[in-house]
Amino acid sequence: MFGLSAFDLARIQFAFTVSFHIIFPAITIGLASFLAVLEGLWLKTRNKDYLALFHFWSKIFAVNFAMGVVSGLVMAYQFGTNWSFFSDFAGSITGPLLTYEVLTAFFLEAGFLGVMLFGWNKVGEKLHFFATCMVALGTLMSTFWILASNSWMQTPQGFEIVNNQVVPVDWLAVIFNPSFPYRLAHMGVAAFLASAFFIAASASWHLLKGNKTSAMKKMLSMSIWIILILAPIQALIGDMHGLNTLKHQPAKIAAIEGHWQNNPGEATPLILFGIPDMDEEKTKYALQIPYLGSLILTHSLDKQVPALKEFPKDDRPNSLIVFWSFRIMVGLGMLMILVGVWGTWLRYKKKLYQSNLFLRFTFLMAPSGLIAILAGWFTTEVGRQPWVVYGIQRTRDAVSAHGEMHMSISLLIFFIVYGSVFGIGYAYMLKLIRKGAPEVQDGN
C-alpha cells in the first residue's frame, strides 16, 4: 500500500487503533469520577439538579464505556498478531501487568456498572453510591496498570534477559519504574481535563441555545472549577515529566526540541517553531529564544541539553513528528489555562453564563483535551523510537513476519469498520448531549 513495507503498515495500524481506543478510556476516567461527585452532592444536598445531571451523563458514560471495551480488545490482540516477537520477548512482564488490569480494574468496573446504571429503586441509596464509587475506582486502577506496562517499556528495570527473553526479578521495580509516577499523574490529570472540557462544551452549547436551566449552569460551573485547578497543575507535572525524560530518554528530548548540536560554552536556545529535517540534520526556519531551552529543561542558564547529533542516526526519533505533536499539546494546554482564568474572572464579574464569546470559545475547546492527549501520546511513542522496549528491543525486531498485502488488507478493514461502528457511537453520544439533562423526580 503506497509503497509502504509490512513493518510500516503494522506501525500505522497500531497507531490508528490505539488512537481510536485512548479517546474512550480518557473520557471514561473523568466521567466516572464526575458521576461519583454528582451522586455524592445529590445525597448531601438533595438538589435534583445533581440527580438530573447524573442520569444525563451516565447514559453517555455507558456508551463510551462500551466502545472503549470493544476497541481495547481489538488493540490488545495486535500484540499477538502483529507484534508476536515483542510478546515473546517481553510477554512475561507486559502479560501479567495487563492481566492484573483485567482482574482488578475491569472486573471492578463491570461488576458494579450494572448496579450504577440500572440499580435505581432496586438497591439502597448508599449501596448505589458505593457502586458508582467502585466504577470510578476501577477506571483509576485501570489507568494504573496500563501506565505501569507502558512506562516499563519506556524506562525498563527490574528484569534480566535469559535466552533472549525478559524475566522479571523485582516486580516493585518493574511497576514503579523511573517514569511511571510522572506518566501516571500526567495521564490521569489529562483524562480529567479532557472530560472537563467535554462537559463544559456541552453546557456552553445548551446555554448558547437558550437552555439556561440551573442544571446547565451547575454543569458549566463545576467544569470551570476543575479546569482552573487542574490545568496549571498539569503544566507543573509536565515540567517534572520533561526533566525525568531528559534523564532517561535524552534522544527524545533532543527530538522534541529540534536541537541538533551544541556549541562549546553556549546555552541551549528554545526553538518555538521550525521544520526539523532528518536528512539535512537541521531545523529549518527556526524561530528561537536564546538560553530558554536550558532554563526550561535544566533549570539553569548555562547547562546544555543533549543534541540529536550526539546519537547515532539509527537511534534518533523522528524529530519532525514529535517536535510538532509536543507543541500542539503545549499550545492546547496554554489555552486550557486561559479558559480557567477567563471563566473565573467572568464568575467574579457575575457574567459566566451570559458571555456568549466565552461560551463559544469553550464550546470550540470541546475536543482540546482529547487532541492534547493524542498529541502527547504521539510525542511519547514516536519519541521512543526506534525502540519498542527502550534500549532493549528495537521496534523492527518486534514485528511479526507478515507480508505487505496481508497488512494492507487488514489496515483497510480497520479503517472501514472503525469508521462505521465508532462513527455511529459518536453520533449517538452527540444525540444524547443535544437532548440535555432531563427533569427527574426524587427516587427515579
Side-chain angles (χ1 to χ4, degrees):
M1 179 184 283
F2 305 116
L4 297 172
S5 66
F7 171 65
D8 295 326
L9 292 169
R11 290 185 63 191
I12 292 172
Q13 185 176 117
F14 193 84
F16 175 76
T17 53
V18 75
S19 296
F20 248 99
H21 171 67
I22 198 172
I23 292 173
F24 303 118
I27 295 298
T28 299
I29 293 165
L31 281 188
S33 294
F34 184 58
L35 289 171
V37 171
L38 288 173
E39 187 170 1
L41 288 172
W42 175 69
L43 289 173
K44 181 179 180 180
T45 66
R46 294 296 169 175
N47 187 320
K48 290 188 287 185
D49 286 339
Y50 295 120
L51 186 60
L53 291 175
F54 179 92
H55 285 288
F56 173 53
W57 284 107
S58 63
K59 295 176 183 177
I60 299 168
F61 173 86
V63 176
N64 195 82
F65 181 86
M67 291 194 292
V69 171
V70 173
S71 60
L73 288 173
V74 173
M75 189 191 71
Y77 277 117
Q78 288 186 80
F79 287 115
T81 57
N82 293 353
W83 303 97
S84 57
F85 290 106
F86 164 74
S87 298
D88 181 64
F89 176 75
S92 58
I93 285 181
T94 58
L97 291 178
L98 295 179
T99 300
Y100 299 152
E101 190 262 341
V102 173
L103 292 177
T104 57
F106 182 73
F107 280 5
L108 191 65
E109 293 172 86
F112 286 98
L113 182 63
V115 178
M116 187 188 85
L117 295 177
F118 309 111
W120 292 99
N121 297 326
K122 296 179 176 64
V123 299
E125 293 177 348
K126 293 182 180 180
L127 179 56
H128 189 277
F129 179 57
F130 177 77
T132 304
C133 291
M134 290 300 99
V135 171
L137 177 61
T139 63
L140 296 175
M141 292 177 64
S142 178
T143 309
F144 179 93
W145 291 114
I146 295 297
L147 265 296
S149 177
N150 186 268
S151 297
W152 179 83
M153 294 165 64
Q154 300 280 346
T155 51
Q157 67 174 22
F159 69 95
E160 293 179 352
I161 297 179
V162 179
N163 297 326
N164 200 34
Q165 288 183 319
V166 170
V167 177
V169 296
D170 185 345
W171 275 108
L172 287 178
V174 168
I175 296 170
F176 298 99
N177 57 79
S179 67
F180 172 68
Y182 306 96
R183 291 165 54 77
L184 177 64
H186 203 45
M187 181 60 201
V189 174
F192 283 117
L193 280 171
S195 300
F197 274 96
F198 191 38
I199 295 165
S202 303
S204 297
W205 186 84
H206 280 281
L207 290 169
L208 286 168
K209 292 296 182 179
N211 183 9
K212 297 183 182 294
T213 63
S214 58
M216 288 301 158
K217 291 180 179 179
K218 281 185 172 63
M219 192 160 74
L220 179 63
S221 178
M222 293 174 71
S223 57
I224 294 301
W225 279 121
I226 295 171
I227 293 167
L228 175 68
I229 296 170
L230 292 186
I233 291 176
Q234 182 73 315
L236 295 176
I237 295 173
D239 177 66
M240 292 187 289
H241 187 16
L243 296 177
N244 177 265
T245 305
L246 178 63
K247 179 179 179 180
H248 296 281
Q249 296 177 305
K252 180 187 289 187
I253 291 294
I256 288 172
E257 296 302 312
H259 180 53
W260 289 93
Q261 66 181 35
N262 286 311
N263 298 319
E266 186 176 303
T268 304
L270 175 68
I271 301 177
L272 294 177
F273 302 104
I275 302 177
D277 191 312
M278 298 300 293
D279 295 325
E280 295 189 22
E281 298 184 333
K282 67 178 183 180
T283 298
K284 299 178 179 178
Y285 317 112
L287 175 61
Q288 57 188 25
I289 302 176
Y291 298 99
L292 194 54
S294 292
L295 181 62
I296 292 176
L297 290 165
T298 69
H299 293 179
S300 73
L301 290 174
D302 54 359
K303 294 181 180 179
Q304 294 181 331
V305 176
L308 278 169
K309 288 187 178 180
E310 298 174 13
F311 304 93
K313 285 188 175 182
D314 290 342
D315 291 348
R316 298 173 188 171
N318 189 311
S319 181
L320 178 62
I321 296 176
V322 298
F323 181 90
W324 281 106
S325 62
F326 178 79
R327 277 150 183 79
I328 290 172
M329 177 185 67
V330 172
L332 289 173
M334 299 303 292
L335 290 177
M336 291 176 188
I337 294 175
L338 172 63
V339 170
V341 174
W342 188 4
T344 303
W345 182 78
L346 289 173
R347 190 194 303 275
Y348 173 75
K349 293 290 185 179
K350 301 186 184 302
K351 297 180 180 179
L352 179 61
Y353 313 112
Q354 291 79 36
S355 175
N356 287 346
L357 180 61
F358 175 75
L359 295 176
R360 290 192 185 98
F361 185 72
T362 304
F363 172 72
L364 293 175
M365 286 287 288
S368 62
L370 296 175
I371 295 173
I373 287 174
L374 289 173
W377 275 96
F378 269 83
T379 302
T380 294
E381 298 305 306
V382 177
R384 183 181 59 193
Q385 300 303 316
W387 305 98
V388 65
V389 182
Y390 196 78
I392 306 298
Q393 186 187 40
R394 291 184 179 270
T395 307
R396 186 169 293 277
D397 298 329
V399 69
S400 301
H402 295 312
E404 287 83 357
M405 181 61 69
H406 172 91
M407 292 305 306
S408 298
I409 294 174
S410 62
L411 181 58
L412 182 61
I413 292 173
F414 271 113
F415 285 156
I416 296 172
V417 174
Y418 271 52
S420 58
V421 173
F422 295 117
I424 294 172
Y426 280 127
Y428 183 62
M429 280 199 296
L430 292 176
K431 180 180 178 180
L432 291 174
I433 291 172
R434 284 195 296 268
K435 289 179 63 176
E439 294 293 333
V440 295
Q441 303 297 323
D442 285 324
N444 290 335

